Amino acid sequence: MNENIDFKYKDTKYRSSKVVNGLSMAGPRAHLRGMGYTSEEMSKPFIGVINTFNEFHPGHVHLDTIAKAVKEGISEAGGIPFEVNTISICDGFTLGHVGMCNVLPSREIIADSVEVFANGNQLDGLVLIGGCDKIVPAMLMAALRINIPAIMVTGGPMLPAIYQGKEYGTYQLKEMAGKLVKGELSVSEYTHMEEIFSPGPGSCAMMGTANSMSIFAEAIGMTLPGCATSHAVLGSKKRIAKESGLRIVELVQQNVLPRDIVTQEMLNLGVQITMSAGGSTNLSLHIPAIAREAHLKMTLEDLGTISEQTPYIAKIKPSGDHTLWDLDQAGGVRGLMRSLESLANLDQMTVSGKTHRENAAALVERNDEVIRPVDKAYAPHGSLVFLFGNLASEGSVVKQSAVVPEMRKHSGPARCFECEEDAVKAIYGSQIQHGDVIVIRNEGPKSGPGMREMLTATAALVGMGLSNSVALITDGRFSGATRGPCIGHISPETAERGPIAVIKDGDVIDIDIDRHLLQLRVSDEEIRSRLEKLPEFEPKVTEGYLARYAKQVGSAAEGAILK
């Protein structure tokens, strides 16, 4: 018997040693050799390059080139890259129809798919590549759940469109539809806008959820500096991708884990930085879910407190006139940090191996018009406010940075709709009056199912000239492109028999953003009586993933996580 056979190819400090070491692992070694790998390569760290590239939407169509640069960096640093794809959905393709029901639920599928691939193959480290609304939070959730060395590369924003000398984002097409209906635009003008408003690859050119979450990813130290706002088409994006590949091998060698980076203090900083730039209402869905994976906590009250204490220093479309391009040229996340230096804890380590303070100090760019100093902030508070009251005992959210002053406090009669499509028909049909409060229900995580985004409705209000005089409340959610007094994520939702389920046309709804109140001007006794008379909720979907999702998903107030 030959007792000298150990077949040890890899140091046992690597997780992947379980895959290649030992007599019993001859099968995996044979597979690797059959794919062209050498014995020497089996000794190197195995790095998963998890890519959400697809050919269906602009946020991910360019990620194959990003992955190529990442893999070059990994190989150069002495690792072995293994690229694998997972799904990604673009909110823009799913707006206004039942496809949107699948978008928020896809977050859980993406996170789960990364987990099972990384753990099933015992990878040593991960580079996670993605760029749109649910994909960035899903990747961060996966990294923190698995807790092996990981680094994120976000795909970067799309360049702004130029029309008649002004800059636009794709989201503004939906607002232009109202002008078309009213006869303020010709069909040929509108068609021309379609041809130019999405000029190339990247996430939509606005401070929507995709770019808000990319800023958050950099602010919590999970990307290299400059990654969030480096645009999709730039050489800097490819350099950051390659540098991320180089860096992940060092993180594996040093055993630096995501939960070492994302502490409670770092999580707080991420919220602070993102709120200072007008971050999306969907932050309130994703950050609590990310915190949970890190074994930390972030409630709506916590988010509200940080927002209230954070100056609003960068006003980016749709809330302002500046673009993501302007923000990038002004220093991006590092520029925001430099402006907030006196209020923020920047002495926290990032995946770069340097602290945020060190990264910000290396920045050359500065533009005090785009990123204002704290003493010249647009407002003393950040982008989001969380409202509570008898209509939202668990909470609701509004992007206050996009609300005109005269609508911060509003009372008006309810106009109730059981889905977004019916509300959109009423808006375009001139059935909504100034002062109304549109109520869209049956759009929550369970009742939707999947908590659809109401951008078609909110954009219709803008296009019809109603966004500064009509409020909208829903148990669904909003795009970061939403403007006006639009209050979403109302919890408890319709399916959970929250009071939103029993609002009647004509009921007066009181909104007070400054006092954080959302009230139905109906007595508690009447609300209870109406709820008691409601029939049992009947789910819209009874089979497949969405049916399982609806049964397991929790409240939007807790991040719509699966229980």
Side-chain angles (χ1 to χ4, degrees):
M1 180 176 179
N2 191 338
E3 298 178 356
N4 297 320
I5 301 174
D6 61 8
F7 289 100
K8 183 177 179 181
Y9 286 84
K10 183 170 290 187
D11 193 309
T12 54
K13 71 178 181 180
Y14 296 122
R15 291 206 323 164
S16 59
S17 65
K18 301 181 187 71
V19 178
V20 298
N21 282 359
L23 182 61
S24 62
M25 291 298 106
R29 292 195 300 272
H31 288 325
L32 287 165
R33 295 185 200 282
M35 292 188 292
Y37 292 99
T38 66
S39 296
E40 181 185 0
E41 286 175 310
M42 289 185 206
S43 70
K44 298 178 179 180
F46 287 0
I47 309 297
V49 179
I50 315 297
N51 191 2
T52 49
F53 163 79
N54 70 55
E55 296 181 337
F56 198 74
H57 58 81
H60 290 73
V61 72
H62 63 301
L63 297 187
D64 54 342
T65 61
I66 300 300
K68 181 180 178 182
V70 168
K71 291 187 289 184
E72 288 172 355
I74 292 170
S75 297
E76 188 175 319
I80 302 298
F82 293 94
E83 184 181 358
V84 63
N85 284 77
T86 188
I87 65 166
S88 57
I89 301 180
C90 172
D91 289 50
F93 277 89
T94 60
L95 284 166
H97 59 82
V98 295
M100 177 56 80
C101 293
N102 296 277
V103 179
L104 180 60
S106 75
R107 186 187 71 180
E108 317 311 314
I109 294 176
I110 296 165
D112 289 352
S113 69
V114 176
E115 175 192 358
V116 297
F117 185 82
N119 285 341
N121 294 294
Q122 289 294 288
L123 296 174
D124 301 306
L126 298 170
V127 180
L128 304 163
I129 307 172
C132 287
D133 294 22
K134 311 306 168 291
I135 292 89
V136 176
M139 294 296 204
L140 293 173
M141 289 167 64
L144 289 160
R145 182 190 304 172
I146 304 163
N147 203 35
I148 62 174
I151 192 167
M152 178 96 205
V153 180
T154 52
M158 180 187 296
L159 289 173
I162 306 297
Y163 177 65
Q164 295 183 344
K166 294 182 179 180
E167 294 174 317
Y168 289 87
T170 315
Y171 71 94
Q172 290 177 280
L173 268 177
K174 284 193 172 288
E175 298 175 359
M176 294 298 176
K179 295 182 181 295
L180 181 66
V181 170
K182 292 167 67 178
E184 296 175 7
L185 277 179
S186 68
V187 172
S188 61
E189 286 176 307
Y190 190 77
T191 302
H192 177 62
M193 289 177 179
E194 285 187 11
E195 292 171 348
I196 64 172
F197 269 34
S198 184
S203 52
C204 293
M206 62 176 177
M207 191 56 73
T209 306
N211 290 312
S212 296
M213 289 308 306
S214 294
I215 285 173
F216 179 76
E218 183 174 335
I220 61 171
M222 285 299 293
T223 78
L224 293 184
C227 186
T229 57
S230 174
H231 280 49
V233 298
L234 296 186
S236 61
K237 180 57 69 178
K238 290 183 180 177
R239 293 198 304 272
I240 289 169
K242 185 171 184 179
E243 289 166 355
S244 298
L246 291 164
R247 181 60 186 153
I248 188 59
V249 178
E250 294 176 339
L251 291 172
V252 169
Q253 301 290 6
Q254 298 162 8
N255 196 33
V256 177
L257 307 179
R259 291 183 207 162
D260 298 331
I261 301 292
V262 185
T263 62
Q264 187 68 53
E265 190 70 19
M266 186 69 97
L267 198 67
N268 294 346
L269 177 65
V271 175
Q272 187 178 20
I273 297 303
T274 313
M275 295 289 190
S276 77
S280 164
T281 52
N282 285 311
L283 295 172
S284 64
L285 277 176
H286 301 314
I287 295 177
I290 291 167
R292 180 174 177 268
E293 300 291 359
H295 299 175
L296 303 171
K297 190 175 182 182
M298 184 64 68
T299 65
L300 295 189
E301 290 85 352
D302 296 331
L303 289 166
T305 298
I306 296 172
S307 181
E308 201 169 331
Q309 297 171 351
T310 300
Y312 181 29
I313 58 173
K315 206 167 189 178
I316 311 300
K317 286 180 178 290
S319 300
D321 294 327
H322 292 129
T323 64
L324 265 296
W325 178 261
D326 297 327
L327 182 61
D328 185 53
Q329 298 304 297
V333 171
R334 289 173 293 172
L336 295 168
M337 288 182 170
R338 186 166 55 189
S339 186
L340 293 173
E341 187 173 13
S342 62
L343 303 175
N345 177 8
L346 303 183
D347 296 312
Q348 301 183 73
M349 191 58 63
T350 72
V351 290
S352 71
K354 296 180 179 179
T355 66
H356 278 308
R357 189 178 303 280
E358 290 173 308
N359 289 331
L363 189 67
V364 175
E365 297 89 346
R366 191 177 196 102
N367 187 325
D368 288 349
E369 182 182 346
V370 176
I371 301 176
R372 291 188 173 186
V374 167
D375 60 358
K376 294 182 180 178
Y378 290 101
H381 47 67
S383 54
L384 303 186
V385 166
F386 298 91
L387 309 182
F388 297 84
N390 67 355
L391 257 182
S393 59
E394 294 176 5
S396 61
V397 61
V398 62
K399 191 173 184 177
Q400 66 171 349
S401 57
V403 180
V404 294
E406 57 268 28
M407 288 298 287
R408 292 183 68 84
K409 184 175 182 179
H410 177 74
S411 297
R415 294 293 311 280
C416 299
F417 301 93
E418 304 307 317
C419 65
E420 183 193 26
E421 288 86 348
D422 290 347
V424 171
K425 288 178 185 177
I427 295 167
Y428 283 137
S430 300
Q431 298 172 29
I432 303 299
Q433 307 300 315
H434 294 287
D436 285 349
V437 179
I438 296 172
V439 178
I440 304 178
R441 55 193 169 208
N442 293 301
E443 296 287 7
K446 285 183 180 294
S447 53
M451 203 177 185
R452 292 197 299 173
E453 189 173 278
M454 305 286 105
L455 179 59
T456 301
T458 59
L461 287 174
V462 174
M464 297 297 285
L466 296 170
S467 64
N468 290 338
S469 61
V470 171
L472 189 156
I473 71 169
T474 180
D475 54 4
R477 60 187 178 86
F478 295 121
S479 161
T482 296
R483 291 188 269 166
C486 299
I487 299 164
H489 305 200
I490 289 177
S491 302
E493 60 165 303
T494 310
E496 295 291 352
R497 290 321 192 221
I500 189 173
V502 294
I503 302 173
K504 295 180 179 180
D505 283 345
D507 285 346
V508 176
I509 294 173
D510 297 316
I511 299 166
D512 192 331
I513 292 175
D514 293 327
R515 295 178 62 204
H516 302 183
L517 286 175
L518 179 63
Q519 288 281 128
L520 178 64
R521 205 182 290 179
V522 172
S523 70
D524 292 344
E525 292 76 13
E526 174 64 14
I527 292 174
R528 279 196 296 270
S529 174
R530 293 183 188 181
L531 287 171
E532 288 170 359
K533 296 174 183 176
L534 276 181
E536 185 177 348
F537 179 79
E538 293 187 13
K540 298 175 187 174
V541 180
T542 57
E543 60 184 13
Y545 174 64
L546 285 182
R548 299 198 304 274
Y549 178 88
K551 289 178 181 178
Q552 291 182 283
V553 69
S555 169
E558 297 176 346
I561 57 175
L562 297 187
K563 302 241 177 138

